[in-house]
């Protein structure tokens, strides 16, 4: 009996041990076992940031979330402001390769890259002469006869006459029938003949453009004659092409230039004037009667400036031939050929024709 009384307290003591272990297990968190371990550099950094900002983050459900110190972006307001200042002073390189190269070259050389030369602004052509405009066949014939009589009275063997044509154009159907013919034999008067009501060209007009003393001239004028023959078979394009003058080709011969010329470029080069080539007027309805003031002025300037260019090139040709003959007399034919081969044009500067 005494043995049992002695063993009872030992049994109770054995039963109380698990209770103590459970209490200790509940009170001690799992992290306490890791406190003895040495923190890695990353954990040490996170701890420092956590100590600086211990404000818990409130989640949508109202629970306390992770502290802001555990975020990837751990910059303080002062550091963020410094970064923004650095980025504003040194913006990110998101430019194209071409821009970056030019910027680098500017930084290396210290001087900016050369800019393209701005085109020279030339004054526009202003025509102040008379414009004689006709739409009926009999009026066109009478006017052409008057011009032909004026040509017969001229003492010159060759009378230059600027020639041009206009027609409507459609992107669906292409170019229309020739609607306007304009001519100019005197810089003070231009004639505009609208052919909308004309089924056949008046014989007086055909006789005028085929007159033996008349020398028709223009830019790309041969193509105009071929079109005129297609639209009006009573005109012979070959006969007109034989004695016409293409101003662009003539300019290349006299000034020893190259390339293809337009009337606008010739006006810039020869007369130092600009032409108002408005697309609205150029692509307008040339077959509609009557033509408005803008159309009449556009058509008149085309032949007026053509006549001025012809007179200027004619004077340049005379000066060039005179200088060449003078050089040959003083230095001989052999020296002339040698200097000519070096690119000498023998064309001195002349006063520009006043418009």
């Amino acid at each position: 009996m005494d043995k049992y009384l002695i063993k009872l307290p030992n049994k109770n003591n054995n039963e109380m041990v698990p209770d103590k272990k459970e209490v200790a297990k509940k009170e001690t968190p799992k992290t306490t076992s890791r406190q003895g371990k040495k923190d890695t550099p990353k954990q040490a950094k996170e701890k420092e940031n956590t100590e600086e900002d211990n404000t818990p983050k409130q989640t949508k459900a109202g629970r306390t979330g992770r502290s802001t110190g555990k975020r990837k972006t751990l910059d303080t307001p002062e550091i963020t402001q410094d970064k923004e200042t650095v980025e504003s002073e040194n913006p990110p390189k998101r430019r194209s390769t071409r821009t970056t190269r030019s910027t680098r070259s500017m930084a290396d050389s210290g001087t900016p890259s050369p800019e393209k030369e701005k085109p020279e602004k030339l004054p526009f052509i202003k025509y102040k002469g008379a414009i004689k405009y006709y739409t009926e066949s009999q009026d066109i014939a009478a006017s052409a006869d008057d011009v032909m009589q004026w040509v017969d009275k001229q003492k010159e063997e060759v009378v230059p006459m600027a020639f041009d044509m206009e027609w409507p154009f459609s992107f669906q159907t292409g170019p229309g029938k020739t609607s306007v013919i304009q001519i100019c034999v005197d810089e003070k008067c231009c004639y505009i003949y609208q052919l909308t009501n004309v089924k056949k060209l008046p014989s007086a007009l055909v006789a005028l453009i085929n007159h033996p003393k008349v020398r028709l001239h223009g830019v790309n004028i041969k193509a105009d004659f071929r079109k005129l023959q297609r639209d009006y078979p009573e005109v012979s394009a070959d006969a007109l092409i034989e004695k016409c003058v293409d101003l662009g080709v003539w300019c290349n011969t006299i000034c020893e230039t190259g390339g293809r010329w337009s009337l606008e470029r010739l006006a810039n080069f020869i007369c130092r004037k600009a032409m108002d080539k408005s697309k609205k007027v150029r692509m307008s309805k040339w077959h509609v009667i009557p033509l408005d003031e803008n159309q009449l002025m556009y058509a008149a300037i085309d032949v007026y400036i053509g006549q001025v260019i012809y007179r200027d090139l004619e004077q340049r040709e005379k000066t060039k031939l005179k200088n060449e003959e003078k050089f040959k007399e003083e230095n001989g034919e052999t020296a002339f050929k040698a200097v000519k081969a070096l690119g000498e044009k023998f064309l001195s500067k002349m006063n520009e024709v006043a418009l």
Side-chain angles (χ1 to χ4, degrees), residues 13-131:
N13 290 337
N14 293 334
E15 291 178 356
M16 294 299 292
V17 171
D19 295 338
K20 291 181 180 180
K21 289 183 178 180
E22 289 179 2
V23 172
K25 188 176 182 181
K26 290 181 181 179
E27 291 177 354
T28 306
K30 292 182 180 180
T31 56
T32 55
S33 61
R34 300 181 183 178
Q35 289 179 356
K37 296 181 180 180
K38 188 177 180 180
D39 294 334
T40 61
K42 184 176 180 181
Q43 292 174 345
K45 182 67 176 179
E46 290 180 354
K47 282 186 178 181
E48 290 178 1
N49 293 329
T50 307
E51 290 176 0
E52 293 177 0
D53 186 7
N54 294 323
T55 304
K57 181 179 177 182
Q58 192 73 13
T59 60
K60 292 183 179 180
R63 298 179 181 177
T64 303
R66 293 186 301 172
S67 62
T68 55
K70 294 184 179 181
R71 296 179 184 175
K72 292 183 179 179
T73 305
L74 304 173
D75 296 335
T76 61
E78 292 78 7
I79 297 175
T80 304
Q81 187 176 0
D82 293 341
K83 283 186 176 181
E84 291 177 354
T85 305
V86 173
E87 289 180 357
S88 62
E89 294 177 356
N90 301 314
K93 295 182 179 181
R94 295 181 180 177
R95 306 178 183 88
S96 62
T97 307
R98 183 176 300 175
T99 306
T100 305
R101 287 177 180 173
S102 63
T103 306
R104 289 176 181 173
S105 63
M106 289 170 61
D108 296 338
S109 61
T111 56
S113 57
E115 298 180 356
K116 292 183 179 180
E117 295 182 359
K118 296 181 180 180
E120 183 182 0
K121 291 185 178 180
L122 301 174
F124 283 105
I125 300 169
K126 295 182 179 179
Y127 176 67
K128 300 180 180 179
I131 299 177

Side-chain angles (χ1 to χ4, degrees), residues 10 13 73 93 114 123 127 135 168 189 225 242 257 262 273 330 332:
N10 293 333
N13 290 337
T73 305
K93 295 182 179 181
Y127 176 67
T135 59
C189 183
F225 290 149
E242 286 180 3
T257 54
S262 64
K273 295 287 183 178
E330 296 176 354

